[in-house]
Amino acid sequence: MSKKTKGQELAEKLTWSAPNIAKEAPKQIEKAKKFCEGYKKFLDEGKTERECVNYAVELLEKNGYRPFSADEKYKPGDKVYLVNRGKALIATTFGQEPLEKGVRINGAHIDSPRLDLKPNPLYEKDEMAYFKTHYYGGIRKYQWGTVPLAMHGVVIKKNGEKATICIGEKEGEPVFCVTDLLPHLSGQQDARPLREGLKGEELNVVVGSLPYQDEEVKEPVKLLALDLLHEQFGMTEADFYRAEIEMVPAVKACDVGLDRSMIGAYGQDDRICAYTALMAEIDVKEPVYTTVTILTDKEEIGSEGNTGLASDYVKNYIEDLADLSGIPVRRVLRNSICLSSDVNAAYDPGFSDVYDPRNSCYLNKGCVLTKYTGARGKSGSNDAGAELMAKVIAIMEDAGVYWQAGELGKVDAGGGGTIAKLVAALDVDTVDLGVPILSMHSPFELSSKLDVLNTYRAFKAFYQSK
Ligand code: MN
Ligand code: MN
């Protein structure tokens, strides 16, 4: 090997860029593929926030977690969880250090963009039956036409019974869809701006085309659809007002690429961080600080409502923990650190214009540390401090985690936010850490298996570190 020049040595010492993991640590490829089998199952089992909570509770119970009780005494290593209204969840492993030294929070969200049914959704038009929808979260509406959709949700019937709906996921079950025009007749539609390619009121889901056999009935196609729903779930039209029903892509998580290096699936924002956070929570046995792993709801619509992080449910939980130690919650919070675990936009070689290549995250370079999000001059952002950046980077480097840093595209190209600012508002040191994603918020998002593995490793190191 030829000797390095002085300049080469100096460059090695002074410059830095995130390496490609597949080139520097190819042994991780197999590990990542193995780890992601569990992740793909998590994606398939949890296509709504409620399903994610149910599956997470199943995994937690299997691993020795018990429901949290504010009346019980806990010792280091004890594992508990709390479910918030079936749509959000907190899990904890009690740490070695007393609570006043702070907790380690890892917050991810389990709601994803989708088409929600309107409160009065079912109608018949020209002998076809449809559901009216109101989209949830930031979607590019044109992407949701001609995609097979599954129907997921719950209905609280008049008698108080809860029916759980899931149609379109099992082999052989019917699916649903939003139709779109054929190119032969789309001349006018093609001239619309892309954001109106399909308009909100055009996102109507095909439900059926056969009539109920009775010539006296005014809307027989709608009636047959209702009859079938009644048969299966005992519900009537009025029960839609007592329901939460989501239409989501009926596609299973799968490997992408000849090399199977990537995962394609719906809802990876942010179940990719939810799964890795949950696995780190389960796998950490004797953490230094008490852990608070949050799988939250409503992030995609601004964290509103009592299952979103703009509510006090996490603060109330930490206050319950503080009460057990007989200290005020503010003393816990001000010594705590939070990873706001959410995805970032991976650099897309096909659309490189919207990225600053020096400040973007890339597939196969590891988890992405995002100092700030926001839009128009960081507005709406938690801008993490240098001290916290140093601490989190040190934790990752000590554990040999592959990480990179990135921001969401070019300045003024757009923007976005996460739960970070809401946790920071509790007087907690907070920074965003997550996974690079291609085609974010589409029905089929793309991630790298190596990045998933290293995000899990980062989260675990965060819980194990001093
Ligand atoms: Mn997200
Ligand atoms: Mn999102």
Side-chain angles (χ1 to χ4, degrees):
M1 216 163 53
S2 61
K3 203 170 170 287
K4 280 179 191 151
T5 66
K6 209 172 154 201
Q8 278 175 319
E9 272 175 10
L10 193 63
E12 209 167 274
K13 190 171 144 197
L14 298 185
T15 64
W16 190 82
S17 66
N20 185 310
I21 308 166
K23 288 180 183 163
E24 203 176 276
K27 281 192 181 141
Q28 286 199 6
I29 295 172
E30 277 315 304
K31 272 188 203 150
K33 285 182 176 173
K34 225 172 133 194
F35 180 80
C36 285
E37 290 305 303
Y39 171 47
K40 285 189 283 181
K41 183 160 166 55
F42 183 79
L43 288 168
D44 291 342
E45 296 284 333
K47 289 214 174 168
T48 68
E49 52 282 8
R50 287 175 191 268
E51 291 170 356
C52 282
V53 165
N54 291 343
Y55 187 57
V57 166
E58 202 182 294
L59 293 177
L60 289 169
E61 292 263 356
K62 247 187 237 165
N63 285 280
Y65 287 74
R66 295 291 166 256
F68 172 73
S69 159
D71 302 319
E72 217 166 297
K73 284 276 166 223
Y74 295 103
K75 57 179 193 313
D78 283 350
K79 287 174 171 282
V80 297
Y81 70 89
L82 180 90
V83 172
N84 177 8
R85 296 168 174 87
K87 296 193 273 190
L89 174 142
I90 307 173
T92 283
T93 307
F94 286 88
Q96 313 287 324
E97 290 284 355
L99 208 66
E100 58 192 300
K101 294 277 179 71
V103 293
R104 289 276 166 96
I105 304 169
N106 188 355
H109 67 92
I110 48 176
D111 62 315
S112 294
R114 66 201 183 227
L115 305 180
D116 281 344
L117 293 199
K118 287 192 183 189
N120 181 16
L122 186 60
Y123 69 100
E124 174 171 339
K125 190 176 182 208
D126 304 328
E127 303 188 317
M128 294 275 284
Y130 294 93
F131 283 142
K132 298 271 347 158
T133 66
H134 194 140
Y135 65 98
Y136 171 99
I139 63 167
R140 304 187 74 194
K141 297 188 250 323
Y142 76 90
Q143 293 178 336
W144 290 70
T146 69
V147 171
L149 298 172
M151 181 180 178
H152 291 240
V154 296
V155 183
I156 313 296
K157 292 181 279 184
K158 197 174 181 178
N159 64 8
E161 263 175 35
K162 184 192 273 189
T164 303
I165 296 175
C166 181
I167 306 172
E169 295 293 349
K170 290 200 196 90
E171 187 79 36
E173 277 185 346
V175 295
F176 309 85
C177 67
V178 173
T179 60
D180 198 358
L181 275 176
L182 60 169
H184 318 67
L185 295 177
S186 67
Q188 275 193 338
Q189 189 195 26
D190 288 346
R192 293 181 187 178
L194 189 57
R195 68 174 175 278
E196 289 176 11
L198 285 174
K199 297 178 189 177
E201 289 291 351
E202 290 170 341
L203 295 173
N204 301 313
V205 174
V206 173
V207 173
S209 66
L210 292 178
Y212 185 85
Q213 301 293 335
D214 183 340
E215 282 178 15
E216 298 306 311
V217 175
K218 225 170 56 191
E219 296 182 311
V221 184
K222 173 180 168 179
L223 187 64
L224 181 66
L226 269 177
D227 191 37
L228 291 168
L229 285 171
H230 183 258
E231 203 173 86
Q232 215 176 333
F233 305 106
M235 67 179 289
T236 67
E237 188 171 26
D239 288 330
F240 280 116
Y241 293 110
R242 294 181 277 258
E244 284 182 286
I245 299 172
E246 309 174 10
M247 306 303 295
V248 300
V251 184
K252 296 260 183 268
C254 55
D255 293 345
V256 173
L258 292 170
D259 55 11
R260 295 178 175 263
S261 60
M262 294 164 280
I263 290 173
Y266 161 70
Q268 298 203 69
D269 174 8
D270 182 33
R271 291 167 191 146
I272 199 164
C273 292
Y275 180 73
T276 43
L278 189 67
M279 287 303 112
E281 164 63 46
I282 286 172
D283 290 346
V284 70
K285 300 304 174 201
E286 288 172 339
V288 182
Y289 302 93
T290 296
T291 69
V292 176
T293 303
I294 307 163
L295 308 191
T296 195
D297 182 27
K298 295 286 182 282
E299 193 278 341
E300 294 294 357
I301 58 167
S303 295
E304 310 298 349
N306 58 11
T307 53
L309 272 188
S311 92
D312 280 343
Y313 84 90
V314 168
K315 189 187 167 203
N316 290 345
Y317 173 78
I318 297 174
E319 192 158 0
D320 279 342
L321 298 181
D323 286 349
L324 290 176
S325 297
I327 55 170
V329 67
R330 62 178 181 273
R331 271 167 61 190
V332 183
L333 292 169
R334 77 166 67 107
N335 292 321
S336 294
I337 306 178
C338 172
L339 297 182
S340 158
S341 300
D342 209 338
V343 298
N344 199 339
Y347 178 89
D348 188 335
F351 297 94
S352 54
D353 279 4
V354 300
Y355 300 88
D356 166 9
R358 304 183 57 78
N359 288 283
S360 293
C361 56
Y362 295 78
L363 293 194
N364 294 331
K365 293 193 170 191
C367 56
V368 51
L369 191 60
T370 305
K371 186 177 187 296
Y372 50 83
T373 58
R376 297 173 306 280
K378 302 190 182 180
S379 182
S381 159
N382 156 65
D383 197 348
E387 293 83 354
L388 181 62
M389 293 293 283
K391 174 139 191 118
V392 174
I393 290 170
I395 288 172
M396 291 194 287
E397 292 192 335
D398 286 349
V401 172
Y402 283 96
W403 68 278
Q404 54 187 322
E407 62 174 291
L408 190 62
K410 269 185 182 163
V411 177
D412 290 340
T418 64
I419 61 160
K421 63 173 184 176
L422 298 167
V423 184
L426 297 173
D427 192 18
V428 172
D429 274 328
T430 308
V431 65
D432 282 293
L433 185 70
V435 190
I437 295 279
L438 286 167
S439 307
M440 193 195 296
H441 284 205
S442 78
F444 194 72
E445 301 174 315
L446 211 53
S447 66
S448 133
K449 292 182 181 178
L450 282 165
D451 298 340
V452 177
L453 176 67
N454 278 277
T455 304
Y456 160 75
R457 294 178 67 224
F459 292 167
K460 202 170 161 196
F462 175 64
Y463 279 163
Q464 282 172 330
S465 65
K466 282 212 168 136

